[in-house]
Each structure stands twice: as structure tokens, then as C-alpha cells.
Amino acid sequence: SLTLVASGTQIGRTASQDEQRVIYAAGPVRDFYLAASEHYERVSQQLGETIVNSYAPPQHAAGAREALVHALEALEVFGERFGPYPFTELDLVSTSTSAYGIEYPGIIALAERLYGPNSEYPPAYLESTVAHEVSHQWFYSVVGNDQQSEPWLDEALAQYSTLVYYDELYGQAGADGFRSSLL
């Protein structure tokens, strides 16, 4: 009964009464991430050659749709600036992570607490987190920087990219707003 969301693309699946075996293909990737829930519902949209999926429990369906929109916008902005998205699929998944979000190849775990009208955070947190984590698909996955030993480089590139995202979508006022939120 579990919905699995993982790095890569599912290429095989067999199921019996109490077991499922799933095969994912991904590459080149440096990490593999898997999230599972009985409650995930998915919304999807194609952007060029890339399918973007957003998974969340039903009570966060609106947040899943918002995250999907922001990911599509970020893919367009970063694709123009940094080159084509490196994978054929991008999954966003609502989780109980203690961070706002965390990147893995082809998948982003987003804090469930950022979703929905009852969130303690303003909607801009979900948008900026999605943009930031999408940018890691280039500045971590493609560039291959070491986010563990050199986090200043990894996070600086992602924050700069998020600033670019806000400037592209909202102009100077949007970029200034994001910059002031960092300060």
C-alpha cells in the first residue's frame, strides 16, 4: 500500500500480497533517496522532456500544487541560465524533515510544515525553498561540489540561484525582497 518516491525513474515493479520490489534507474548520480507513505497523492506536469511530480498527503494537496508550480518556474529559469535540467524526472515530496528542504539527485524532500493554509510559515518560504532546492540539481548534482566538506560553496550557489529566480520572476523588487529576507 506504500507509494514510493525515489531518485531516478521507476523501470520495474512486482508486487505480491505483502511485498513489492521496485527497480529505479538513475545516472549519473551520487546519492539515492527514497520516501514512502501510504498517504501520498501525486500531481504532475510535463516540462519539455522532464516530468515533474509533487507528492503530499491529501490535506496538503494545495501545497503540493504550489510546490509543483514553483518547481516548474525554477526549472525554466535555471534551464535558461545554467543549461538543461540533468534528469528526465524531478520529484518533490512532502516529508517530516527538520530542514526546510534537502536535495538529492532528481528528488527534493520538502518540510511538510511549509505546506498548507495552517502553516506557521508564510507562503514565500515554500516558494524560496523549492527554488533553492531545485537549483541544487545543478549546483550539487551537475557541478559535483562537496556539500559536506564545503557547504559554503554549495549553499552560496543555491542562494545566488534563488536570488536569480526571484529577479527573473518578480524583477528587482522580488530580488530585493529575497535579499532582505536573508539579512
Side-chain angles (χ1 to χ4, degrees), residues 114-182:
L114 296 177
Y115 287 64
N118 299 327
S119 173
E120 61 189 275
Y121 300 96
Y125 274 62
L126 179 60
E127 181 175 8
S128 64
T129 301
V130 168
H132 175 98
E133 300 306 335
V134 169
S135 78
H136 277 299
Q137 299 301 311
W138 282 266
F139 299 110
Y140 157 74
S141 286
V142 174
V143 172
N145 56 283
D146 185 342
Q147 81 277 25
Q148 296 296 318
S149 298
E150 303 289 344
W152 64 271
L153 177 61
D154 186 56
E155 294 305 327
L157 289 167
Q159 287 297 66
Y160 170 75
S161 300
T162 306
L163 183 66
V164 167
Y165 166 90
Y166 275 96
D167 186 56
E168 286 287 323
L169 290 181
Y170 304 109
Q172 189 64 48
D176 289 346
F178 178 71
R179 186 179 293 111
S180 71
S181 76
L182 296 176

Side-chain angles (χ1 to χ4, degrees), residues 12-26:
R13 180 178 185 272
T14 58
S16 64
Q17 279 185 323
D18 61 349
E19 179 180 280
Q20 63 177 319
R21 293 175 188 239
V22 183
I23 300 170
Y24 292 93

Side-chain angles (χ1 to χ4, degrees), residues 36-181:
S37 175
E38 293 179 330
H39 307 291
Y40 284 146
E41 293 183 355
R42 179 184 71 178
V43 292
S44 299
Q45 189 169 328
Q46 186 92 20
L47 178 66
E49 299 295 316
T50 304
I51 184 76
V52 183
N53 303 300
S54 185
Y55 295 85
Q59 68 269 26
H60 295 305
R65 288 189 300 275
E66 285 178 47
L68 177 67
V69 167
H70 299 314
L72 292 163
E73 292 168 336
L75 284 171
E76 287 193 66
V77 168
F78 302 146
E80 285 291 316
R81 290 288 184 113
F82 310 133
Y85 176 69
F87 307 112
T88 58
E89 186 174 318
L90 175 61
D91 295 320
L92 312 166
V93 61
S94 169
T95 69
S96 59
T97 181
S98 60
Y100 292 144
I102 187 163
E103 77 284 354
Y104 297 94
I107 186 169
I108 296 167
L110 295 165
E112 188 174 48
R113 67 186 182 279
L114 296 177
Y115 287 64
N118 299 327
S119 173
E120 61 189 275
Y121 300 96
Y125 274 62
L126 179 60
E127 181 175 8
S128 64
T129 301
V130 168
H132 175 98
E133 300 306 335
V134 169
S135 78
H136 277 299
Q137 299 301 311
W138 282 266
F139 299 110
Y140 157 74
S141 286
V142 174
V143 172
N145 56 283
D146 185 342
Q147 81 277 25
Q148 296 296 318
S149 298
E150 303 289 344
W152 64 271
L153 177 61
D154 186 56
E155 294 305 327
L157 289 167
Q159 287 297 66
Y160 170 75
S161 300
T162 306
L163 183 66
V164 167
Y165 166 90
Y166 275 96
D167 186 56
E168 286 287 323
L169 290 181
Y170 304 109
Q172 189 64 48
D176 289 346
F178 178 71
R179 186 179 293 111
S180 71
S181 76

